[in-house]
Amino acid sequence: PAFMVAASSMQRVAATTLRAATTLRTSRRGQSSTAAAPLRYFSAWFCPFAHRATLALEHHRQAVPYEWEESLGWEQRAPTGDEDFEATERSDWWYHWKSPALLAANPKGMVPTLLDPATNRAVTESIVCIQFIDELAAANGSTAPPLLPTDPFERAAARVAAEQVNKSVTSGYYQALVRTDAAERADGFAKVLDGLRAFTRESRGHFWGGDSLGLVDCVLLPYAYRLYALEHYRGFAVPASGEGGVWERYQAWLSRATSLPYVAPTLPERERYLRHVAKYAEGKARSKVGNAVRRGAAAHDYDDTLDDDAAHAQGVK
C-alpha cells in the first residue's frame, strides 16, 4: 500500500546508498589475520549521529574491520483509529523504519550500533562508539593516531569538549530546523554559532587536539558538514570570515577535515540529504529526535519512552 515502504524497497535504497560503504569495506582486505571478526555496524547513510562512528571506523580502518548494515529508512503508516486527533492531521507523517536485525541488537532501534557477532555484545551511543572504536583499535595494534589523547587530563578535556559540541551544535541544528517559531529557530542557530566559535578557539592545531583528527572533530564534523541544510531551509549561513579570524579558521578546518581521503567518501550527497531532511524542516518526521525537539526539549535530551514513535502515534505533541 501507498503508506508503507516495503522492506524490499528499503533494500533497493540501501543497495544504492551503500556503494561508498562497499568501497570502504573492501579496503579492509589484507588486514592482519589476527584481527577479530568484522563488527556488524548498524547505520544509516543520512544520520549524522551514526556518521560519527563511521569516521572513527574509517580512521582505524586497518585495525577495526566492520560490515555496514543499512538499518533505518522512512515509512508512512496507516492511521489505526486509536489516535487522539483526526487521521487527516497525520496523513503525511513519516516514521523511521528500523531493520529487524538492528532491533534485535539494540531494542531502542538507534544508530550507530556496533555488534560483536561472536558474543552478541553491542555498543551504542555515538560518542561512546567513537571511544570504543579507538580503544579496540589500540588493542588490535592500530598504527593510526589515536582519536583520544594519551594524557588522562587531555582525554578528560576532549570528552568535555565533545559533550559541549553535542549540546550546542547538535541540539542547535535540530532546534533551527524543526521548531516552527522564528525566534526559536534563530536561537537554535545562535547556539550553533556559539559552539563553532568555542570549538575553533579551543583548537590547538589543524584539528581540535593537534595535527590529526580526534574525538571532538568526529563529534562535530557530521553536523558542520550538514549545515548547508539550515541555509537551504532556514536562511541561516555560517560566516565565511570575521571575528578576528575565527570564521576563517573554522572554514579552513572544515575544508581540511572533509578533504581527508578516508572522510570524503563518507559524506552524503548534498541534494539527496536535503531531500531526506526536508521531512524535519516540514514537520513531517516522527523520529525520536524530531519528536523531542518538537515538544520543546533539546535534541540531546530526547526520551526513549516519551519520544518513541508509539507515543506520538497516540497524540503526544
Side-chain angles (χ1 to χ4, degrees), residues 3-5 73-77 93-98:
F3 58 79
M4 181 68 72
V5 176
W74 290 114
E75 65 181 5
Q76 288 184 295
R77 300 175 186 170
W93 286 7
W94 289 84
Y95 296 81
H96 269 154
W97 171 90
K98 300 173 182 181

Side-chain angles (χ1 to χ4, degrees), residues 54-72:
T54 303
L55 295 174
L57 286 165
E58 282 303 296
H59 181 82
H60 286 303
R61 60 192 178 278
Q62 294 182 340
V64 183
Y66 72 93
E67 294 181 351
W68 178 300
E69 297 189 27
E70 190 73 9
S71 304
L72 289 184

Side-chain angles (χ1 to χ4, degrees), residues 134-175:
D134 201 44
E135 293 169 0
L136 184 60
N140 288 348
S142 177
T143 58
L147 293 170
L148 276 83
T150 55
D151 178 82
F153 287 94
E154 292 183 2
R155 289 171 72 90
R159 291 185 175 111
V160 170
E163 190 55 42
Q164 289 302 313
V165 165
N166 206 39
K167 291 179 178 179
S168 59
V169 179
T170 302
S171 290
Y173 172 83
Y174 288 108
Q175 181 178 335

